[in-house]
Structures are given as structure tokens and as C-alpha cells.
Amino acid sequence: MKITTFNPQIVTKNAEPLVLLFEELGFKKRHEMENIGEKDFTGIRMKDENGFCIDIAQTDSELPVDRDIMAIRMNVDDFDEAYGLLLSRGFKNFYGDKIIETPVSKSAMMMSPTGLQINLIQHMKKGE
């Protein structure tokens, strides 16, 4: 398994103030994807001139806590291998057994027993 992207991610109910904050810090929106996972998530990718990235995910789903969640976004080339590795280390899928699949990606928000959140993602290449 190879990690292809690794950066902080914030999961929130209201992305707008966070986007404005990071714009003030010098980040610019790279892209925004709406209606991810049965129209539940909006994903916003931001990057600064030094190449640092932050992702902000807005959701209508119930969060396990009443505040924003700090997570690590980790893109991998083999979702199933990474998912199995995290499960074997005690992580649990935030959504039970549900894997969010779109035509271009596969993902699951994983939570460790101590609260570490990893948003595990594999972007699908044509033919996969």
C-alpha cells in the first residue's frame, strides 16, 4: 500500500467560516465537490503558495461530538489493504460498515480507540 496524499482535514457542519479563515491565512480553493456519499458531504480542497493543503468537509450527518472534528486525510493506492490495517489496529468505521463509493473514489472515516480520525480515501483510476 502506498500513501499518495496526507494532510489535515476538518469535518464540520458549517464550512463557510473555516474557508474564510484559511483564505485569510493565504489558502485558495483548489476545488469543491458537492453531494459526496448520497449527497451527505461537500468536500473543499485548499492549498497555499507553499504547497500545504487543508481539506474541509461539510456534512449534514450527525457528528459523534458537538464540535468540528480534526482528521487526517489519507489517500492510498489500495483502499482494502489500508482499511484492513486500520481495523486490525482497533480503528472503527465512523459509519458502521458503510463505505462511501462514488464513480471516482472509495472512502471511510476511521476512528481509533483514542479518538484519532483518519479519512481513508482511494481515488479510482480509469479501468479500476
Side-chain angles (χ1 to χ4, degrees), residues 114-128:
T114 59
L116 171 64
Q117 307 275 334
I118 295 178
N119 189 9
L120 180 63
I121 303 170
Q122 178 181 359
H123 285 281
M124 311 308 253
K125 295 174 179 74
K126 291 186 181 195
E128 285 187 306

Side-chain angles (χ1 to χ4, degrees), residues 26-122:
F27 285 78
K28 293 184 173 128
K29 276 189 188 181
R30 293 283 311 262
H31 65 80
E32 184 170 338
M33 190 171 176
E34 296 180 347
N35 301 323
I36 304 168
E38 300 171 9
K39 302 181 180 182
D40 183 39
F41 280 94
T42 296
I44 301 162
R45 182 126 176 108
M46 300 183 79
K47 191 172 185 177
D48 77 356
E49 64 184 31
N50 297 309
F52 295 116
C53 293
I54 180 95
D55 291 328
I56 301 171
Q58 181 171 301
T59 182
D60 293 327
S61 288
E62 196 61 37
L63 297 176
V65 292
D66 62 352
R67 60 187 181 278
D68 295 343
I69 295 172
M70 274 304 305
I72 296 170
R73 172 187 166 145
M74 185 170 76
N75 287 15
V76 295
D77 67 346
D78 187 331
F79 179 88
D80 295 330
E81 181 182 358
Y83 188 77
L85 182 128
L86 292 174
L87 288 175
S88 76
R89 301 297 191 275
F91 281 75
K92 295 194 184 311
N93 186 335
F94 186 85
Y95 295 109
D97 292 328
K98 182 179 176 185
I99 307 290
I100 297 173
E101 295 191 57
T102 73
V104 297
S105 68
K106 193 176 190 181
S107 68
M109 181 65 85
M110 305 296 289
M111 184 176 4
S112 78
T114 59
L116 171 64
Q117 307 275 334
I118 295 178
N119 189 9
L120 180 63
I121 303 170
Q122 178 181 359

